[in-house]
Amino acid sequence: MGTRLFPIGLAIALSGLAVAFGFGWGSGLLEQWQLAARYTARVGLPLFLITYCASSLARLWPGDGARAILRHRRQWGLSFALTHSVHLMALALYNAVAGTMPSATTLIGGGGAYALLYAMALTSNDASVRALGPWWKRLHTLGIHWLWFIFAFSYAGRIGDPARRAEGLLFFGLCIAALALRVAAQIKRKRG
Ligand code: HEM
């Protein structure tokens, strides 16, 4: 598989594993889809963070590795869109089995994130960059930070729960570290 297709292949494998683990560990359809939703979000996080940090890594440590990630940033972004589409499917099935609807706050925060995610995925090509002009950057900057916020907010919410504190701290910490990296790259860009 060529390097260009590696992120997409990885996303297909990770989402399949996430759903399989959900079904292996959960007892009953409801818990299985809940775990599938949880694990698909979890495997999407590293793919999201690679996309979120790609240009900052290349600015702070311009080496072959960082340049290779930057060159394939579109594919990393699309790989996250793929795992998060499986998250959407899993949580829709979870709600269908439970006969529930997500809260209005979740629908607005999460639904807005999906609208932005698909707008970004559909405009991840040279023709859209040319057609949208400065709006392309505005759309992608807003979208990537909105997605970052939902991840950070979801994991920060777990820190108060003793049973889930460890994962909350770990994954929220990763989100904060990624943000710090972007800020450091901005400072370097302005200075240099
Ligand atoms: C309407 C949209 C969404 C709904 C209804 C929703 C629903 C869910 C559900 C049911 C779970 C499993 C909860 C559990 O752990 O028991 C979950 C987990 C999660 N979702 Fe979503 N989600 C939505 C969109 C998003 C988006 C856009 C993001 C990120 C950008 C996201 C990030 C997460 C995270 C981080 C977890 C926790 C995963 C973990 O435990 O590691 N969700 N979501």
Side-chain angles (χ1 to χ4, degrees), residues 34 38 41-42 84 87 91 102 106 110 113-114 150-151 155 158:
Q34 182 189 8
R38 184 182 298 173
R42 209 169 280 189
H84 235 56
H87 181 64
L91 65 89
T106 307
Y114 274 109
I150 305 271
F151 270 120
Y155 285 123
R158 288 175 182 197

Side-chain angles (χ1 to χ4, degrees), residues 30 91-92 94-102:
L30 187 62
L91 65 89
Y94 165 74
N95 280 289
V97 174
T100 52
M101 273 287 284

Side-chain angles (χ1 to χ4, degrees), residues 5 26 29 31-33 37-38 53 62 69 76 80 86-87 100 103-104 107 116 142 148 156 160 163 165 188:
L5 288 182
L29 213 49
E31 196 189 7
Q32 285 169 329
W33 281 121
R38 184 182 298 173
C53 293
I69 293 176
W76 286 109
F80 170 66
V86 184
H87 181 64
T100 52
S103 69
L107 281 178
L116 284 164
L142 171 70
W148 178 90
R165 181 163 298 148
K188 186 171 179 194

Side-chain angles (χ1 to χ4, degrees), residues 10 29 42-43 49 55 57 61 75-76 85 101 111 118 162-163 185:
L10 183 65
L29 213 49
R42 209 169 280 189
V43 296
L49 290 178
S55 60
L57 284 172
W61 298 286
Q75 283 76 25
W76 286 109
S85 298
M101 273 287 284
Y118 290 124

Side-chain angles (χ1 to χ4, degrees), residues 98-162:
T100 52
M101 273 287 284
S103 69
T105 324
T106 307
L107 281 178
I108 294 167
Y114 274 109
L116 284 164
L117 175 66
Y118 290 124
M120 288 160 81
L122 288 172
T123 55
S124 283
N125 53 69
D126 294 339
S128 300
V129 176
R130 279 192 301 273
L132 291 175
W135 285 99
W136 188 92
K137 190 155 178 55
R138 284 175 201 145
L139 168 69
H140 284 249
T141 305
L142 171 70
I144 201 111
H145 284 103
W146 190 309
L147 291 164
W148 178 90
F149 177 76
I150 305 271
F151 270 120
F153 184 77
S154 306
Y155 285 123
R158 288 175 182 197
I159 296 173
D161 174 358

Side-chain angles (χ1 to χ4, degrees), residues 21 59 64 83 105 125 148:
F21 273 101
R59 187 170 296 279
D64 288 350
T83 56
T105 324
N125 53 69
W148 178 90

